């Protein structure tokens, strides 16, 4: 018996899980706007490098407002790199803190949500480019904290059999957020109002965050069984299972979660992600997958002006292609498994990126279509790796693992804008770099174990050291050796 059995007893994926997943996923509508905001606030409209003194400047772009054009044009990519640097820093800090925090989600995530509101809204007061960059860096840190903590808490309360569907469908909030961003930018046409409109809603998300229940699994691991029992009773009550409340006692909880309790006797850090052969292989492969997926994704998504059509329309199209892409990912994940899905999405995205190199510049429709397909497969790869990573790492180190590999993702997203500058050397060079990275990552993904329909593991360090990872034995197949 394990925690997954307890989840089924208190209602499986019931009313509580529906509310829980929806409320945690809602901020994704604005997270997409935060990540892709630079497409609009840093868009460079038609201009002359010697502007007449009486020529009015477009309000949408902060670049013309502060004269960051012509010789200063490369700063357009710098601001996105600075923002992703903040996301990277946040992944390092919050990924480590969350596994050690006494209050886990509530202590870490709630203040971070509020901080993101304040920083995002305050950035509209920026008097210079440098001040705006500082706000974007700090805002990126907060975004990372919200994403990491929210994802881990969401996974903890989802039964094994519904993880694939729920994980994929909840990612649509990010998809719709991309299209919302295009609509807001088109409607407002002022970068300060746009910044405010994508930041202020987080005050609402902060207001209802107190409703969440802590991860019962994490509470048990940290010797707070009474609190874990209260969380499970609350979930059972909301799910319409009041008869379970009297049956579910601390003794029953301990009998189900013996391994989690034993694992709490050890402390874990990022070093443990490389301690054993099996864990080392998983971590190294995930580093490659996360870096390359983010690298290719933001390389395609952050250069909308090169297509020669409205950036508002391109943003809507790039957001819309995520819908069939994620439905495809859902089918692949459910029937072919995680590993095949990950390899396929990365490899196909690389093939499409390479193919676009040979399309003449005057064939804009074909180039745009291929770019959309490439973006769709990188989006499907993101959907897959988020779910996959949460299943590969055990509970006691899941947050540290997520923080570690997402750090590599942020390095990829930081490098992507810088690579776009290489088109001044040779227009095809950025595509070669993006596609090459995706091909390499698909090779690394071949060495990851399959986790389809396998319960989340709690992970014992003593068991890590005595098992080796093979493609024939997954990390969770042997109940007496839960982590290889």
């Amino acid at each position: 018996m394990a925690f997954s059995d307890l989840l089924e007893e208190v209602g499986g994926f019931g009313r509580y899980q529906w509310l829980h997943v929806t409320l945690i996923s809602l901020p994704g509508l604005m997270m997409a706007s935060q990540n892709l905001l630079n497409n609009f606030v840093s868009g460079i409209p038609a201009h002359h490098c010697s502007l007449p003194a009486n020529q009015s400047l477009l309000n949408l772009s902060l670049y013309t407002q502060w004269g960051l054009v012509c010789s200063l044009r490369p700063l357009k990519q710098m601001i996105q790199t600075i923002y992703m640097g903040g996301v990277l820093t946040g992944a390092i800090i919050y990924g480590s803190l969350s596994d050690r925090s006494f209050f886990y989600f509530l202590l870490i995530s709630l203040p971070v949500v509020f901080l993101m509101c304040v920083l995002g809204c305050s950035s509209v007061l920026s008097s210079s480019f440098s001040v705006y960059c500082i706000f974007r860096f700090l805002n990126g840190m907060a975004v990372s904290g919200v994403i990491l903590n929210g994802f881990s808490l969401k996974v903890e309360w989802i039964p094994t059999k519904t993880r694939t569907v729920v994980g994929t469908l909840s990612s649509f909030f990010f998809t719709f957020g991309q299209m919302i961003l295009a609509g807001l930018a088109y409607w407002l046409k002022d970068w300060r109002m746009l910044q405010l409109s994508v930041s202020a809603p987080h005050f609402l998300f902060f207001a209802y965050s107190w409703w969440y229940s802590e991860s019962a699994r994490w509470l048990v691991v940290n010797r707070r069984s009474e609190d874990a029992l209260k969380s499970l009773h609350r979930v059972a009550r909301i799910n319409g299972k009041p008869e379970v409340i009297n049956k579910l006692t601390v003794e029953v909880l301990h009998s189900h979660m013996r391994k989690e309790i034993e694992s709490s006797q050890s402390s874990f850090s990022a070093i443990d992600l490389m301690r054993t052969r099996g864990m080392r292989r998983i971590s190294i492969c995930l580093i490659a997958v996360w870096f390359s997926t983010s690298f290719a994704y933001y390389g395609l998504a952050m250069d909308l002006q090169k297509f020669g059509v409205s950036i508002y329309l391109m943003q809507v199209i790039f957001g819309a292609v995520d819908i069939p892409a994620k439905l495809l990912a859902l089918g692949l994940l459910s029937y072919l498994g995680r590993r095949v899905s990950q390899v396929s999405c990365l490899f196909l995205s690389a093939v499409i990126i390479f193919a676009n190199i040979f399309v003449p510049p005057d064939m804009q429709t074909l180039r745009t279509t291929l770019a959309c397909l490439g973006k769709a497969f990188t989006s499907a790869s993101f959907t897959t790796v988020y779910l996959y990573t949460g299943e590969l790492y055990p509970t006691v180190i899941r947050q540290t693992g997520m923080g570690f590999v997402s750090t590599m993702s942020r390095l990829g997203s930081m490098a992507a804008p810088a690579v776009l500058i290489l088109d001044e050397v040779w227009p095809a060079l950025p595509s070669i770099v993006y596609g090459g990275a995706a091909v390499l990552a698909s090779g690394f993904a071949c060495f990851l174990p399959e986790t389809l329909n396998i319960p989340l593991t709690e992970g014992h360090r003593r068991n890590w050291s005595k098992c080796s990872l093979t493609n024939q034995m997954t990390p969770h197949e042997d109940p007496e050796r839960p982590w290889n």
Side-chain angles (χ1 to χ4, degrees), residues 29-30 33 173 175-185 194 198 316:
L29 293 172
M30 293 298 108
S33 298
F173 285 88
T175 298
F176 295 132
Q178 297 178 58
M179 293 183 275
I180 290 173
L181 172 63
L184 289 173
L194 180 60
V198 301
V316 171

Side-chain angles (χ1 to χ4, degrees), residues 359-394:
V359 179
D362 58 338
M363 300 179 67
Q364 282 294 340
T365 301
L366 180 57
R367 289 179 60 84
T368 302
T369 301
L370 288 176
C372 289
L373 286 174
K375 201 261 188 180
F377 280 112
T378 58
S379 177
S381 179
F382 251 133
T383 299
T384 302
V385 75
Y386 262 106
L387 177 65
Y388 205 0
T389 303
E391 294 177 339
L392 284 169
Y393 284 126

Side-chain angles (χ1 to χ4, degrees), residues 37 58 115 146 213 257 317 382 483:
L37 191 64
L58 293 180
L115 185 63
V146 173
S213 292
M257 305 182 68
I317 294 174
F382 251 133
W483 192 253

Side-chain angles (χ1 to χ4, degrees), residues 58-79:
L58 293 180
N59 288 330
L60 177 60
S61 174
L62 55 83
Y63 271 65
T64 51
Q65 181 171 338
W66 290 326
L68 303 176
V69 292
C70 302
S71 62
L72 298 179
R73 184 171 179 170
L75 292 179
K76 172 184 178 180
Q77 310 301 344
M78 181 185 294
I79 193 170

